[in-house]
Amino acid sequence: MILMTKDVAMSTKYDPKQVEPGRYQEWLDQGLFKPSGDKKAKPYSIVIPPPNVTGKLHLGHAWDTTLQDMIIRQKRMQGFDTLWLPGMDHAGIATQSKVEARLAEQGVSRYDLGREKFIDTVWKWKDEYADIIHKQWAKLGLSLDYDRERFTLDEGLSQAVRKVFVKLYQKGLIYRGEYIINWDPKARTALSDIEVIHKDVKGAFYHVKYPFADGTTFNGKNYIEIATTRPETMMGDVAVAVHPSDERYKDIVGKTLILPLQGRHIPIIADEYVDPQFGTGMVKITPAHDPNDFGVGNRHDLKRINTMNEDASMNANAGKYEGMDRFEARKAIVKDLEDQDYMLRIEPIVHSVGHSERTGVQVEARLSTQWFVKMEPLAKAALANQKTDDPVKFVPERFENTFEQWMNNIHDWVISRQLWWGHQIPAWYHKETGEVYVGEEAPKDIENWEQDPDVLDTWFSSALWPFSTMGWPDENAADFKRYFPTDTLVTGYDIIFFWVSRMIFQSVEFTERRPFEHVLIHGLIRDEQGRKMSKSLGNGIDPMDVIDKYGADALRWFLSNGSAPGQDVRFSYTKMDAAWNFINKIWNASRFVIMNLDDDTRAELPEKAVWKLSDKWIISRLNHTIAEVTRLFDGFEFGEAGRALYNFIWNDFCDWYIEMAKEDLNGDDQAAKKNTQNILCFVLDQTVRLLHPIMPFVTEKIWLSMPHTGTSLVTASYPTVVADYDDPQAEREMDNLIELIKAVRNSRAEVNAPLSSAVDILIKTKDDQTKQVFEANKDYIERFCHSKKLEIAATIDAPALAMTSVITGAEVYLPLADLVDLNEEIKRLQKDVKKLTSEVKRAESKLSNQRFVTNAPTEIVEQEREKLSGYKEKLTATNERIKELEKEL
């Protein structure tokens, strides 16, 4: 059915507040975001990177989801059976920290509530922020299938987590052991390496005397010198180590030292871990407080003495310092070392120290019993999969190197967290025997068992996201069979380690497939100065505030055109102004077209026989734009696609075709008017379809306001290339006509001759084709150039006092005797000679490059040759004109 609603109110100025509200709900009510269900259609699926339920979405989320929405909207219009699956992440430590902070404001801790009530409180937080995120998704216009929404603590996903844990445990890839881990003393939980961020902080090297127990002298002294940055861990020292091949210390290996302040005896040992070139080549060994020392301790069967509690206060092993905060203990120990003559000197330094990504506190290396994933075999399998015909394709390709480097240097992954919010580890300990049971279900005699209180790292469950959301572990689940592996993942480069890598190795391990075909990596949103947006800098931008001011479509346009894949983008309100201006241009052009259509106008082209040059040109340009935008979308080059759309809409359609169409719209030839109306309607229809994935709201409004078939652009067909519409000759001829009009306008501007005043225009053509084109389009030349006398001929005696322009195939003269200064005109033409000479050199250089001629597409090489020919022709004509004018001086 063709619907015509030409008379709808379209304001003279684009106002997103009149266009966007209510539209999203209409799409939902019509069920337009669901998969088509067409089994003959090729499936295309994306799973949303699940935002954490820790707060509101930021500009980075808006960028990430806008790109996904553009992809899925285009694929839906192209006839794919599309699924864009939404969901959110419980976010473990991040969410628990937020809730604990809120409780702290009320003077309550999680321990006051107990585990069960605390988890109930976190669920209320989750519901509160999930509702906020839903509203933000709606405001952005994201075409998500909410019927399939998932949460990482859903029962189905929890089942998948338990299955994966048990399977890996049974294969020996999950194990429990006492190791040095990163410890967050504020959250009181273990952290993986990538949850630790390093910051430069002021510190010191404390050079301390460690005396020999038997009175040995070394280099004339009865002690050795040890430098440490962390004297608070000294009470856990169990040895001093030197390198086995270090000749300086071979005679003292095996000797015993006295631990300062405590008096305990510790040995001097030899171990290859020690770097003899660093410092004195002697290091203290504290196995419970340093990962490298832990390895040394294991090799030498040394005792592990943990001197700190979970909150980083000192414990009984710290002696007199028990109960002190670690930094208070440092000050006290340093003072005692000085007072008791153990301190040699203190050397201030700035060094890199690990901090918790979530709580911001300094991380401790702490001896702890944790659950780990043995990563080497999983990483090898993931890397091997990249060499098969089922690899994950990184866009840009360089990020595959980032992935491979991390996988080749990966450490075992500590997956247990001392939290209450998350997937509780499916391991139980027998209350009497201590036996460990790991299973998907609890033991039947549960009264005799106690479940491990720890939960899993949040990335453990989100690593399963692409397939657990599709119904796995039920491999016969309809969605799993239809939509997995997914097609494209869109995410930032900052979580390749955290998430992308883990999804790949878990997917390869449990489904024997890649989780997605492409992973499109984008950068970070920065402020105008290039700084990362952060609370501390106060430079964060709320995307909802931007939408309130400019509309969702303007924000989406900015985000889609921000940068090339993998690159950061700088946000600025100047760019947002430009985005709004572009939409306003589209709006006003559309309003003009719609107001000039008749009731029987259709978005269909008339017979080709009646097309004029401008018609052939705009349809050929449209066809070219469709091809370019489709190709660039397929390659995820959204910025380039945006430029192609912008140039076509602003330059070709608005500035030229619509202006030329006014001749027929205002003329007396009804047949010509009808043809032009249909062509305008067709081009506008195809244009808003091309734009719809980027600007869904305004394009829907325009499309519903003009003749159309169907109920929504969401499910309308995407434009396709029609080979018969390509018309290179029409494009060349029209380009020539536009070049002529621009040349005349520029010449008038040079001498301040306003367009309102008619002038004589003399056009000397160099070939019959150019002459025919200009004569056939005299009406346009007269209208756009405002000519008093228009002469087009192969031979024209150019008056001396005339402005001259050399264009492709012709020379244009404007006899403006009263306004032309010959000297100034010669100078102007000499500037043209300089530009043309430069262009000739550039083109010649390009064409002399054998690599370009051999590797570039044939049509590109031919275009370059045509350009060179045109530049040379213009250069010759311009030089000749300069000589003619010089004769008149």
Side-chain angles (χ1 to χ4, degrees):
M1 180 177 65
I2 293 178
L3 306 175
M4 180 63 196
T5 50
K6 189 189 80 169
D7 294 326
V8 299
M10 287 185 72
S11 60
T12 55
K13 187 177 179 182
Y14 169 64
D15 181 1
K17 290 183 172 62
Q18 298 299 315
V19 171
E20 295 179 3
R23 181 70 64 197
Y24 192 76
Q25 191 59 48
E26 289 178 16
W27 289 329
L28 290 179
D29 292 344
Q30 295 174 56
L32 300 179
F33 301 157
K34 302 179 189 300
S36 68
D38 181 359
K39 298 302 180 187
K40 294 180 181 177
K42 187 177 180 182
Y44 193 99
S45 59
I46 296 176
V47 289
I48 199 168
N52 295 345
V53 287
T54 48
K56 301 174 182 178
L57 303 181
H58 52 65
L59 263 180
H61 290 115
W63 189 12
D64 194 86
T65 52
T66 292
L67 297 182
Q68 292 168 70
D69 194 41
M70 287 162 49
I71 295 167
I72 213 74
R73 281 182 181 272
Q74 188 207 41
K75 295 300 180 185
R76 186 184 293 118
M77 294 176 75
Q78 288 176 328
F80 287 81
D81 176 26
T82 55
L83 168 61
W84 188 16
L85 190 147
M88 301 179 201
D89 197 322
H90 68 280
I93 186 173
T95 305
Q96 180 161 318
S97 297
K98 292 275 189 179
V99 176
E100 288 196 83
R102 179 185 279 185
L103 289 172
E105 292 173 1
Q106 303 163 18
V108 178
S109 76
R110 63 168 155 146
Y111 303 103
D112 296 329
L113 294 179
R115 185 166 190 147
E116 191 173 329
K117 285 187 177 179
F118 177 74
I119 290 174
D120 286 343
T121 302
V122 186
W123 274 107
K124 289 174 184 174
W125 170 287
K126 177 264 177 186
D127 291 340
E128 176 187 342
Y129 278 91
D131 184 56
I132 291 170
I133 290 169
H134 282 139
K135 289 174 181 174
Q136 291 181 303
W137 281 347
K139 211 165 179 179
L140 279 163
L142 307 184
S143 57
L144 297 155
D145 180 9
Y146 291 100
D147 287 351
R148 287 173 165 84
E149 184 173 354
R150 298 288 182 266
F151 182 57
T152 47
L153 286 176
D154 285 350
E155 177 48 41
L157 275 68
S158 297
Q159 180 190 355
V161 166
R162 292 193 297 272
K163 164 99 42 197
V164 166
F165 187 97
V166 172
K167 287 279 188 185
L168 291 175
Y169 179 79
Q170 290 171 345
K171 289 183 71 171
L173 296 178
I174 280 184
Y175 62 93
R176 189 168 184 253
E178 191 178 44
Y179 288 89
I180 290 288
I181 47 88
N182 301 301
W183 183 261
D184 181 332
K186 183 174 182 181
R188 300 189 190 183
T189 185
L191 301 174
S192 65
D193 290 344
I194 52 179
E195 290 172 303
V196 177
I197 53 176
H198 286 81
K199 301 178 184 177
D200 285 342
V201 297
K202 290 181 180 179
F205 267 128
Y206 300 91
H207 295 261
V208 181
K209 297 176 183 176
Y210 278 57
F212 287 98
D214 61 0
T216 297
T217 57
F218 178 70
N219 290 338
K221 298 170 183 174
N222 65 349
Y223 63 84
I224 63 168
E225 179 180 333
I226 294 294
T228 179
T229 59
R230 306 192 64 219
E232 66 271 21
T233 66
M234 281 179 59
M235 301 304 111
D237 288 359
V238 295
V240 166
V242 298
H243 195 276
S245 64
D246 195 331
E247 290 293 323
R248 293 174 295 176
Y249 305 124
K250 64 180 182 179
D251 293 335
I252 62 171
V253 172
K255 294 285 185 180
T256 303
L257 302 169
I258 299 172
L259 180 63
L261 304 183
Q262 195 182 66
R264 182 160 43 84
H265 288 197
I266 60 175
I268 298 176
I269 63 173
D271 192 278
E272 291 191 352
Y273 153 69
V274 182
D275 180 1
Q277 305 302 317
F278 183 76
T280 62
M282 307 180 81
V283 294
K284 71 188 193 73
I285 302 300
T286 320
H289 291 282
D290 182 277
N292 295 310
D293 294 3
F294 179 79
V296 175
N298 286 350
R299 287 192 289 275
H300 295 268
D301 197 25
L302 299 173
K303 191 175 180 181
R304 303 165 186 162
I305 303 174
N306 187 347
T307 64
M308 288 188 194
N309 296 310
E310 288 186 353
D311 63 354
S313 62
M314 309 308 290
N315 64 21
N317 289 330
K320 65 177 280 192
Y321 308 104
E322 182 181 3
M324 290 185 181
D325 170 78
R326 54 183 164 165
F327 299 119
E328 291 175 7
R330 178 185 294 180
K331 291 177 183 176
I333 289 171
V334 167
K335 184 175 187 305
D336 288 347
L337 288 170
E338 290 175 326
D339 290 347
Q340 296 180 38
D341 196 32
Y342 284 112
M343 186 70 73
L344 290 165
R345 66 185 182 281
I346 299 173
E347 176 188 349
I349 61 168
V350 174
H351 59 150
S352 180
V353 176
H355 290 72
S356 170
E357 182 195 33
R358 295 300 178 188
T359 64
V361 300
Q362 188 170 310
V363 168
E364 281 296 330
R366 186 171 190 268
L367 183 67
S368 178
T369 300
Q370 302 287 343
W371 289 91
F372 295 83
V373 174
K374 192 177 292 183
M375 284 305 307
E376 186 179 0
L378 295 170
K380 281 183 177 177
L383 288 168
N385 190 71
Q386 290 299 98
K387 304 294 190 287
T388 69
D389 58 1
D390 192 45
V392 172
K393 300 164 188 169
F394 285 79
V395 182
E397 288 182 11
R398 68 178 183 274
F399 286 107
E400 182 166 5
N401 294 329
T402 305
F403 163 74
E404 289 182 349
Q405 285 172 13
W406 191 67
M407 290 300 243
N408 279 317
N409 295 285
I410 202 165
H411 301 115
D412 284 1
W413 173 19
V414 56
I415 55 171
S416 46
R417 296 290 182 272
Q418 289 63 55
L419 304 171
W420 291 351
W421 174 245
H423 293 98
Q424 196 167 348
I425 290 174
W428 288 260
Y429 310 107
H430 198 279
K431 293 177 181 177
E432 291 185 7
T433 66
E435 176 192 351
V436 178
Y437 165 78
V438 172
E440 293 182 52
E441 305 297 334
K444 291 181 180 177
D445 56 333
I446 189 63
E447 67 277 4
N448 296 318
W449 299 81
E450 186 174 352
Q451 188 173 0
D452 194 310
D454 291 353
V455 301
L456 289 164
D457 178 11
T458 190
W459 297 104
F460 192 91
S461 53
S462 57
L464 316 180
W465 186 252
F467 52 95
S468 63
T469 55
M470 300 287 187
W472 190 92
D474 178 4
E475 295 187 354
N476 290 315
D479 282 356
F480 182 75
K481 291 172 74 174
R482 177 71 172 160
Y483 299 109
F484 183 83
T486 63
D487 289 271
T488 300
L489 175 80
V490 181
T491 193
Y493 58 64
D494 52 332
I495 60 171
I496 292 176
F497 310 133
F498 284 97
W499 191 43
V500 177
S501 299
R502 287 169 173 167
M503 282 189 287
I504 293 173
F505 72 68
Q506 291 285 44
S507 182
V508 170
E509 172 68 18
F510 288 98
T511 73
E512 298 181 347
R513 293 294 311 274
R514 62 189 176 193
F516 24 76
E517 181 178 359
H518 292 100
V519 53
L520 171 61
I521 303 293
H522 60 74
L524 302 177
I525 297 265
R526 299 184 179 274
D527 67 10
E528 285 188 78
Q529 299 173 46
R531 300 175 301 176
K532 188 175 178 179
M533 291 185 176
S534 67
K535 287 182 181 177
S536 59
L537 289 174
N539 61 347
I541 302 290
D542 187 335
M544 300 304 113
D545 292 342
V546 179
I547 290 174
D548 286 340
K549 184 175 181 181
Y550 294 96
D553 285 331
L555 177 60
R556 290 170 63 111
W557 176 256
F558 159 72
L559 292 171
S560 70
N561 284 277
S563 73
Q567 300 299 311
D568 292 346
V569 62
R570 295 189 182 192
F571 177 86
S572 79
Y573 285 104
T574 301
K575 292 176 182 176
M576 286 307 307
D577 288 337
W580 182 90
N581 284 334
F582 180 46
I583 299 177
N584 192 51
K585 181 85 168 180
I586 296 166
W587 178 263
N588 285 323
S590 302
R591 182 173 178 272
F592 172 82
V593 170
I594 292 167
M595 296 300 290
N596 280 280
L597 302 182
D598 291 336
D599 291 344
D600 62 346
T601 304
R602 301 287 178 261
E604 299 169 1
L605 293 174
E607 291 296 320
K608 198 170 182 181
V610 301
W611 296 2
K612 297 186 299 184
L613 173 62
S614 57
D615 302 331
K616 295 175 185 176
W617 170 76
I618 196 64
I619 292 165
S620 184
R621 291 293 305 130
L622 171 65
N623 212 39
H624 175 76
T625 303
I626 292 169
E628 275 295 280
V629 171
T630 303
R631 178 183 68 81
L632 291 165
F633 257 63
D634 287 346
F636 306 109
E637 293 280 354
F638 302 119
E640 290 302 312
R643 274 182 274 281
L645 281 165
Y646 182 94
N647 289 334
F648 173 75
I649 294 165
W650 195 294
N651 299 331
D652 299 342
F653 189 51
C654 295
D655 285 359
W656 291 102
Y657 187 75
I658 287 179
E659 290 303 312
M660 290 180 168
K662 290 176 182 178
E663 289 290 307
D664 288 329
L665 295 176
N666 299 324
D668 297 327
D669 187 334
Q670 291 304 307
K673 179 180 179 180
K674 182 177 177 61
N675 291 336
T676 298
Q677 287 173 321
N678 284 335
I679 291 172
L680 277 169
C681 191
F682 174 82
V683 174
L684 180 58
D685 170 89
Q686 296 290 289
T687 301
V688 294
R689 289 172 192 249
L690 283 173
L691 276 170
H692 180 73
I694 309 174
M695 304 176 181
F697 293 102
V698 70
T699 52
E700 179 89 327
K701 172 69 173 176
I702 292 167
W703 192 73
L704 292 175
S705 302
M706 62 184 289
H708 60 277
T709 303
T711 57
S712 173
L713 263 183
V714 174
T715 50
S717 60
Y718 196 75
T720 54
V721 171
V722 179
D724 194 42
Y725 293 169
D726 278 337
D727 196 332
Q729 182 177 334
E731 291 201 42
R732 283 194 299 272
E733 291 176 358
M734 188 67 181
D735 287 345
N736 209 3
L737 184 60
I738 290 172
E739 187 183 9
L740 166 66
I741 294 167
K742 285 181 175 178
V744 172
R745 287 178 168 180
N746 289 340
S747 291
R748 295 181 67 127
E750 287 274 349
V751 292
N752 296 315
L755 270 175
S756 57
S757 61
V759 297
D760 291 345
I761 301 172
L762 311 176
I763 304 170
K764 179 182 178 182
T765 58
K766 296 187 176 177
D767 56 76
D768 289 339
Q769 181 67 28
T770 305
K771 185 170 181 289
Q772 288 172 18
V773 170
F774 290 165
E775 285 180 338
N777 292 278
K778 284 179 77 169
D779 289 349
Y780 290 139
I781 297 171
E782 288 171 345
R783 178 169 177 264
F784 284 99
C785 299
H786 198 183
S787 62
K788 181 164 60 178
K789 170 191 172 186
L790 176 61
E791 184 179 348
I792 304 168
T795 55
I796 284 180
D797 292 327
L801 293 175
M803 296 289 292
T804 307
S805 299
V806 178
I807 63 170
T808 304
E811 294 173 42
V812 187
Y813 307 105
L814 270 65
L816 300 169
D818 297 337
L819 300 172
V820 175
D821 179 320
L822 283 182
N823 286 305
E824 289 301 315
E825 178 66 356
I826 289 170
K827 285 182 184 178
R828 187 180 68 82
L829 290 172
Q830 285 172 338
K831 286 181 183 178
D832 290 345
V833 166
K834 192 174 181 181
K835 288 179 187 175
L836 288 166
T837 301
S838 176
E839 289 295 339
V840 167
K841 286 181 180 177
R842 183 200 60 77
E844 284 178 338
S845 174
K846 200 168 187 178
L847 289 167
S848 66
N849 184 337
Q850 199 55 43
R851 285 182 64 189
F852 168 73
V853 175
T854 304
N855 298 325
T858 306
E859 62 270 21
I860 299 295
V861 177
E862 282 306 312
Q863 285 175 15
E864 202 61 40
R865 287 186 176 129
E866 286 178 17
K867 284 182 187 177
L868 177 59
S869 177
Y871 292 142
K872 285 182 173 179
E873 184 181 294
K874 290 177 186 177
L875 182 59
T876 300
T878 306
N879 278 320
E880 288 175 357
R881 179 59 178 163
I882 290 172
K883 290 175 183 176
E884 290 174 6
L885 293 178
E886 286 174 340
K887 291 176 183 176
E888 301 294 328
L889 290 175

